[in-house]
Amino acid sequence: FSYMEKNTDIISTVEFNHTGELLATGDKGGRVVIFQREQESKNQVHRRGEYNVYSTFQSHEPEFDYLKSLEIEEKINKIRWLPQQNAAYFLLSTNDKTVKLWKVSERDKRPEGYNLKDEEGRLRDPATITTLRVPVLRPMDLMVEATPRRVFANAHTYHINSISVNSDYETYMSADDLRINLWNFEITNQSFNIVDIKPTNMEELTEVITAAEFHPHHCNTFVYSSSKGTIRLCDMRASALCDRHTKFFEEPEDPSNRSFFSEIISSISDVKFSHSGRYIMTRDYLTVKVWDLNMENRPIETYQVHDYLRSKLCSLYENDCIFDKFECVWNGSDSVIMTGSYNNFFRMFDRNTKRDVTLEASRENSKPRAILKPRKVCVGGKRRKDEISVDSLDFSKKILHTAWHPSENIIAVAATNNLYIFQDKVN
């Protein structure tokens, strides 16, 4: 799926719904595009359903904060689906300041034969109405409508970086640099502040919140990560304001690796609970780590995403790439993890076999039904013909956002303004 080459079309978030039938992307222009998986056709069994555009709508508009003389971008930072309760779908989308709850529903019938209105919808003169008609529903072409049901605004001073739906499906949280708020889906005019790390004196600020997520099964537990590379697990039963964490996950720094960039590259850009709820995965600039909730002093697994960039940190600092925020995702069974890199590369790590692979999402290599070839990056020395040298990597092509189907081996990868959907090859 290719968006036109416009800056507003840069994809900023990708998210499958709970069944994997729908896939939503948000972009820099404030639009949400929902793809729906085609039903399998009887005559072409080997062709599993492809994803086609189902609905497109403008979720956020650019705004201006007159008090602070700041432009508020319309860019969608995150999308989160609610589990489906009836025929309609619901999703949350957020930009830097405002969270919206959208309802996406289908209409394939329209009422005809009103008493007080004519067929064009104009009001009839009551004097001319002499008979009573029974309106009927007539079939019409399928229409997919997106309507905003709730707007949760004015609760964040700083930019929202995360939203997470709680497992009670009644509440959700939104996190910005210094605070995390808890909302009820039914109440838009107030939220409850559950974390506040803002110091009385802003000069003393040492870290910011970078990501936050609810536990998949325990509605009282959530985690948030910081720019210092630490993760805090909080329990809302302990106290209403979770300024004191229940658990604190941090890996002591190796002094031999210390450099000017240590602090920047240890900042966590994403945190995700495993589906089982037993593990947390975190992504920093060079690695993905898996933590066991029962062990706080170090991760149980560390995967090098692109260790060959260690020698390039200076130029990555100069071109600002060192501040890129890569996300990470689990597959449905928590056995494989995926995260992005540069040059349109993305990485997969198998936790059981310890095998890993680098794949590329690019127009040239991704003809429909083509099989992806693993890519290798060579560091120094002689380059084999199928390898690419570190010096020729394109840092403007980066894969920050990916998603994994909840139960199948189907992945969605956002490469700037193109969305790629890959699936296991079917025999």
Side-chain angles (χ1 to χ4, degrees):
F1 305 102
S2 170
Y3 285 79
M4 292 167 307
E5 301 283 326
K6 282 210 317 291
N7 201 20
T8 55
D9 293 313
I10 292 172
I11 301 173
S12 49
T13 184
V14 192
E15 191 79 12
F16 279 102
N17 75 339
H18 292 254
T19 59
E21 289 307 297
L22 299 181
L23 170 68
T25 64
D27 69 22
K28 223 175 142 140
R31 274 190 313 273
V32 172
V33 179
I34 301 176
F35 299 91
Q36 183 184 43
R37 197 176 185 190
E38 292 291 303
Q39 296 301 312
E40 278 182 44
S41 55
K42 293 278 180 285
N43 48 5
Q44 294 173 307
V45 184
H46 66 279
R47 280 187 64 172
R48 282 197 291 186
E50 296 185 359
Y51 285 83
N52 294 316
V53 174
Y54 176 65
S55 173
T56 304
F57 58 93
Q58 188 71 32
S59 173
H60 287 70
E61 305 282 351
E63 292 173 67
F64 194 78
D65 181 340
Y66 291 97
L67 287 174
K68 296 204 179 77
S69 297
L70 273 182
E71 259 182 281
I72 300 169
E73 273 193 300
E74 65 272 42
K75 171 181 161 235
I76 309 288
N77 291 344
K78 286 283 186 294
I79 289 173
R80 290 288 178 263
W81 290 91
L82 276 68
Q84 197 179 353
Q85 309 283 351
N86 52 26
Y89 301 100
F90 287 88
L91 61 87
L92 285 173
S93 66
T94 185
N95 68 348
D96 284 341
K97 297 286 178 192
T98 305
V99 184
K100 294 185 180 182
L101 175 69
W102 287 89
K103 176 185 182 180
V104 181
S105 51
E106 296 183 358
R107 277 230 319 255
D108 60 355
K109 292 185 181 61
R110 68 162 185 267
E112 269 180 20
Y114 285 109
N115 288 289
L116 302 178
K117 288 189 282 199
D118 63 16
E119 298 314 322
E120 271 69 59
R122 289 186 298 265
L123 282 173
R124 292 165 60 186
D125 176 9
T128 64
I129 303 170
T130 54
T131 55
L132 191 62
R133 299 197 288 177
V134 179
V136 287
L137 287 172
R138 296 247 182 270
M140 61 175 225
D141 290 343
L142 178 70
M143 245 176 65
V144 180
E145 297 179 308
T147 44
R149 295 308 298 270
R150 304 266 189 283
V151 176
F152 305 89
N154 307 326
H156 285 277
T157 314
Y158 308 97
H159 292 345
I160 298 173
N161 55 46
S162 304
I163 45 177
S164 178
V165 178
N166 201 348
S167 58
D168 61 11
Y169 305 142
E170 289 176 18
T171 56
Y172 77 90
M173 69 176 166
S174 55
D176 67 25
D177 296 340
L178 299 180
R179 296 195 179 101
I180 301 177
N181 291 332
L182 182 69
W183 300 83
N184 186 303
F185 279 110
E186 300 301 320
I187 302 167
T188 57
N189 59 356
Q190 60 176 26
S191 63
F192 193 79
N193 178 231
I194 51 175
V195 172
D196 185 350
I197 65 166
K198 185 181 177 179
T200 357
N201 175 6
M202 281 298 264
E203 313 276 280
E204 292 163 9
L205 183 68
T206 57
E207 63 181 333
V208 294
I209 297 168
T210 54
E213 192 181 55
F214 269 119
H215 189 284
H217 317 302
H218 305 313
C219 60
N220 49 279
T221 312
F222 66 94
V223 291
Y224 69 91
S225 58
S226 87
S227 54
K228 275 198 157 168
T230 62
I231 308 110
R232 290 173 175 83
L233 180 87
C234 301
D235 188 337
M236 292 189 287
R237 293 172 304 186
S239 75
L241 188 61
C242 300
D243 283 355
R244 287 207 298 276
H245 48 264
T246 311
K247 290 189 174 186
F248 181 74
F249 300 85
E250 182 178 31
E251 185 169 32
E253 192 190 16
D254 176 2
S256 64
N257 270 343
R258 179 114 191 106
S259 76
F260 169 73
F261 304 108
S262 295
E263 212 148 290
I264 303 173
I265 63 172
S266 67
S267 174
I268 292 174
S269 53
D270 196 15
V271 61
K272 292 268 171 52
F273 270 106
S274 62
H275 295 81
S276 68
R278 163 103 196 242
Y279 304 102
I280 315 171
M281 163 169 57
T282 58
R283 172 75 154 92
D284 56 40
Y285 192 63
L286 294 177
T287 67
V288 170
K289 294 173 179 165
V290 176
W291 304 77
D292 188 317
L293 282 193
N294 301 323
M295 189 162 94
E296 297 168 60
N297 58 346
R298 61 190 166 84
I300 52 168
E301 296 155 31
T302 300
Y303 301 98
Q304 299 298 334
V305 178
H306 36 216
D307 206 42
Y308 45 78
L309 296 183
R310 228 175 254 282
S311 57
K312 293 253 172 293
L313 293 176
C314 232
S315 52
L316 289 162
Y317 179 74
E318 280 161 17
N319 65 14
D320 272 356
C321 283
I322 201 165
F323 301 107
D324 284 335
K325 293 177 171 44
F326 291 96
E327 295 166 9
C328 51
V329 288
W330 303 87
N331 71 340
S333 61
D334 299 332
S335 59
V336 184
I337 53 190
M338 168 172 63
T339 191
S341 179
Y342 293 103
N343 208 64
N344 279 349
F345 287 171
F346 58 99
R347 306 267 284 132
M348 287 184 171
F349 303 96
D350 187 312
R351 298 179 57 210
N352 301 326
T353 64
K354 296 294 180 243
R355 281 209 301 254
D356 65 280
V357 65
T358 303
L359 300 168
E360 181 180 359
S362 68
R363 306 288 288 264
E364 302 74 66
N365 298 9
S366 306
K367 303 277 179 291
R369 317 239 171 282
I371 290 175
L372 289 183
K373 291 189 197 59
R375 305 298 307 254
K376 281 222 163 36
V377 177
C378 90
V379 188
K382 277 186 59 165
R383 187 167 73 84
R384 296 207 192 90
K385 77 166 173 36
D386 59 341
E387 292 184 334
I388 177 166
S389 116
V390 175
D391 298 318
S392 54
L393 293 174
D394 185 341
F395 291 113
S396 67
K397 294 180 173 165
K398 50 193 89 166
I399 289 181
L400 304 174
H401 316 287
T402 61
W404 205 308
H405 187 292
S407 54
E408 293 179 44
N409 275 335
I410 299 177
I411 58 170
V413 175
T416 320
N417 43 9
N418 294 308
L419 175 70
Y420 295 91
I421 295 182
F422 301 113
Q423 64 179 32
D424 250 4
K425 60 177 192 289
V426 192
N427 301 336

